[in-house]
Amino acid sequence: MKKVLLLSSLAVSGVILAGCGSGGSTGGVTLDTLLEESNKVMDSVKSVSTNINIEMDMSASTGGNDTSLEIKMTGEGVLEAVLDNFAAHQVMKMNVSLYNVDQASSTETYMIADANNSKKVDVYTNSVSNDAESGWSHTSIDMEDASQKLNFNLYNLYTNSKDSFSLEKKTKQFEGSECYVVNAKLGFKDIASYVGESLSQLNVDENSDLKIDTVYYIDKETKEVKGAEVDMGDTMKSLLEESAQQSSNKGIKINIKAFKVTSENTYNTVTSIDIPKEVTEAAN
């Protein structure tokens, strides 16, 4: 179960900043020029608002039709961030069904640049699980770590692993916009720079051959990254089967019906993010 939740976190990291039908031709646009143009546009972004959705449905059986474990998970969240005078606010709601028992949880987080130290970010977090509230807690992280997670640079990732990317020949409709479709098979090593902690907790070598299938949608007119879809099904299946082989549960069969994370982005609509006074007071 721990690996499921951590891999979900990994997928969310991959889509934060980054109904489809057939569309027109890409018109001779190359992947190099497209991502270079998109990078210039994204460099000028002042704020971002991202809707995130998670869907997971898997089971494990000891053989035959005997299902010993079934897990379903859904999640939805919103992240808003202002990149100048750094500030961010995220609310994530999850529901996990295990043995037909539902467990609901939610996490709210504020990240605000430290007014007295430009290299630090104050982080305030409150979690609720089945109506039990943790209360607001406060910690600090490096500004570089915070901005790196929110300024995920698709172009830099591409230039470091070009063989993992491809551009579809036709555009597609994504959330009402005609978009170029960029497919990527990202290895753990490709993304270890900004989710290294998750990888270490998963006990996965960053040089592992496992790949994560990701689709990025880039608006044909504005060149903004409109959203992304991450399919974690094959990756999770391989990780769980490997764990079973290393334990005494070698007869377990893993069936993953779905494990996807999707995001939709809008830009330059968030003017400011202010942390409520009651949050800072409760955390102190």
Side-chain angles (χ1 to χ4, degrees):
M1 184 62 187
K2 183 179 179 182
K3 280 196 173 185
V4 172
L5 295 175
L6 288 171
L7 204 54
S8 299
S9 175
L10 173 64
V12 169
S13 296
V15 301
I16 279 180
L17 289 179
C20 296
S22 60
S25 167
T26 57
V29 172
T30 68
L31 194 52
D32 276 319
T33 57
L34 172 61
L35 293 184
E36 187 173 356
E37 287 183 45
S38 178
N39 186 56
K40 292 177 181 178
V41 171
M42 298 304 293
D43 274 347
S44 66
V45 165
K46 300 300 182 184
S47 70
V48 61
S49 178
T50 301
N51 292 317
I52 305 165
N53 286 281
I54 301 172
E55 176 192 6
M56 190 272 289
D57 186 349
M58 63 167 285
S59 62
S61 62
T62 55
N65 295 320
D66 179 27
T67 300
S68 57
L69 175 67
E70 183 173 0
I71 304 173
K72 294 183 178 180
M73 179 171 65
T74 57
E76 60 180 15
V78 177
L79 167 71
E80 293 184 330
V82 176
L83 304 181
D84 291 338
N85 298 318
F86 181 85
H89 178 225
Q90 181 177 15
V91 176
M92 196 74 199
K93 297 180 179 180
M94 304 288 293
N95 188 77
V96 177
S97 177
L98 180 63
Y99 296 114
N100 295 319
V101 176
D102 290 342
Q103 178 172 327
S105 64
S106 64
T107 302
E108 184 175 11
T109 303
Y110 285 93
M111 292 192 290
I112 306 292
D114 189 326
N116 300 315
N117 187 340
S118 61
K119 295 183 179 180
K120 292 291 183 180
V121 172
D122 288 317
V123 181
Y124 298 86
T125 304
N126 184 28
S127 299
V128 179
S129 180
N130 284 353
D131 297 327
E133 188 171 359
S134 67
W136 286 98
S137 63
H138 169 252
T139 188
S140 294
I141 62 175
D142 290 338
M143 171 66 80
E144 183 177 354
D145 292 338
S147 60
Q148 187 176 24
K149 288 179 182 292
L150 292 174
N151 283 301
F152 172 62
N153 194 309
L154 178 59
Y155 182 69
N156 285 348
L157 185 59
Y158 166 67
T159 56
N160 291 328
S161 51
K162 287 189 175 184
D163 291 343
S164 301
F165 285 76
S166 63
L167 175 64
E168 291 193 8
K169 293 182 179 180
K170 290 188 176 182
T171 58
K172 290 183 179 179
Q173 290 292 317
F174 179 80
E175 300 298 336
S177 298
E178 185 177 2
C179 293
Y180 296 108
V181 182
V182 176
N183 295 303
K185 287 185 174 293
L186 302 177
F188 286 111
K189 188 174 182 179
D190 298 327
I191 51 178
S193 61
Y194 70 97
V195 286
E197 291 184 5
S198 293
L199 292 181
S200 63
Q201 291 180 63
L202 281 167
N203 295 318
V204 176
D205 189 333
E206 67 175 26
N207 295 309
S208 168
D209 292 332
L210 291 176
K211 300 290 184 181
I212 300 171
D213 292 323
T214 308
V215 181
Y216 296 98
Y217 295 93
I218 300 178
D219 190 288
K220 186 176 181 180
E221 296 299 323
T222 67
K223 304 301 186 295
E224 294 173 342
V225 181
K226 294 291 291 184
E229 298 174 347
V230 180
D231 189 339
M232 306 291 288
D234 291 342
T235 301
M236 173 56 75
K237 180 178 173 68
S238 296
L239 285 173
L240 293 178
E241 288 178 342
E242 183 178 319
S243 294
Q245 287 295 320
Q246 294 173 353
S247 68
S248 58
N249 301 316
K250 295 183 179 181
I252 289 181
K253 294 183 179 180
I254 307 297
N255 178 33
I256 297 185
K257 299 178 183 178
F259 195 169
K260 295 184 177 180
V261 179
T262 61
S263 69
E264 178 194 356
N265 304 323
T266 56
Y267 301 98
N268 302 323
T269 59
V270 182
T271 56
S272 64
I273 294 174
D274 299 313
I275 184 168
K277 184 178 179 180
E278 55 267 28
V279 170
T280 56
E281 290 178 346
N284 292 327

